[in-house]
Amino acid sequence: MEQTFLMTLWFILVAVLWIGFLALEGFGYGVGMFLKTFARNERERRAMINSIGPHWDGNEVWLLTAGGATFAAFPEWYATMFSGMYIALVLVLVCLIIRICALEWRKMIRTERWRNTWDTLHCIVSWIVSILFGVAFANLVAGMKIEVGNYSSGEFVAVAPDAVTWEALADNHHYLTGGFFSLLTPFTILGGLVTLSLFFSHGALWLSIKTAGELQLRSINLAKRTTVISTAITAVWALWAYFVYSSQVLAIIPLAICALLLIATVVATWANREILAFGLHFAAIAGAVSTIFAMMVPYVMKSSINEAYSLTIAQASVTAPTQTIMTIAALIFVPIVLGYTVWAYSVFRKRIDAGQIPEEPVGLEPKKIREFEVR
């Protein structure tokens, strides 16, 4: 089966959904990473959390939609990735649940210990998730220990590479046989540092456009240092990925655009043009994701064992009628989601001044909760 237009369209749409999630929620993870160390008092900490408060749950929808689109459009990709990366994905899920609790429950109890506990957990899981996403995408670029076979006899039996045909795939599937630790290599770990550093810079730039006063000045100064570091780390990883693992010459186009955007971000940041810098960095993350997906073509999951075991876009796709129905639904609902996102950020565009946040702690008194005196 040849790769069709709809298959290509949905591969691009999955990439767009990941761009939406990483470029929007990336600053949320960045703010979480330095929540404990950057804020000097409770007012500043609340200002940092309030800056992402109206948006984080909407941003997570992009992640859910990316996963749902992968499941619906490329079920073989979804099955291979989610079964092979099961431990890592469960860890991400647990971290995301903890982050939700930290954001929603922090204000519930009026004690410093309660707030510090959730802030610490928020910080830890933000670091973990940021690294894991980079490791995952780096594996998609480099390839994993994937084989084609089946478990009909209770043990995995691989098909010979030269016997991987459409007929063979009727009774056999792609499996990640290398285990969890096969996903950790110097290249993939560096990929984790790429997303970590980019999110950190994204968070600093976000605070520079969302806060006012001293907190805003310190945020732009933090962004000046971190954008240089993240750009350097990204450059090393991207060149390594392109010259060693990419088979697509045209991937140099989004890679070059991403490089120019990151350099422009550094220049704009040092010129104290924080709004322009954030927009450029947003576009740079989009360029980075586009580069990753361009390097993957024509595969959705590469095999480092033998190229014949790689899962192609065509092999992973559903039937054409299903893709047609999905395309009609996407044409209706994606513009609605985009419109709502733009509206939400427009409504909450005002800067937050930590000095205007009341000093009185929020939440309920623990004693009243224990005595059932809450009204």
Side-chain angles (χ1 to χ4, degrees), residues 267-290:
V267 174
T269 304
W270 281 88
N272 293 321
R273 299 186 63 182
E274 64 272 11
I275 296 177
L276 175 61
F278 179 80
L280 290 169
H281 201 259
F282 186 101
I285 293 178
V289 178
S290 300

Side-chain angles (χ1 to χ4, degrees), residues 81-93:
M81 181 168 60
F82 275 69
S83 60
M85 298 181 175
Y86 185 79
I87 296 176
L89 292 171
V90 168
L91 181 58
V92 169
L93 179 61

Side-chain angles (χ1 to χ4, degrees), residues 155-173:
E155 294 182 1
F156 180 75
V157 178
V159 176
D162 56 358
V164 180
T165 62
W166 281 102
E167 291 75 16
L169 291 175
D171 300 314
N172 298 277
H173 299 280

Side-chain angles (χ1 to χ4, degrees), residues 96-111:
L96 292 180
I97 293 173
I98 293 174
R99 180 171 180 261
I100 292 171
C101 295
L103 287 166
E104 293 294 332
W105 293 357
R106 182 187 190 274
K107 61 182 179 291
M108 297 299 182
I109 308 298
R110 193 183 301 180
T111 66

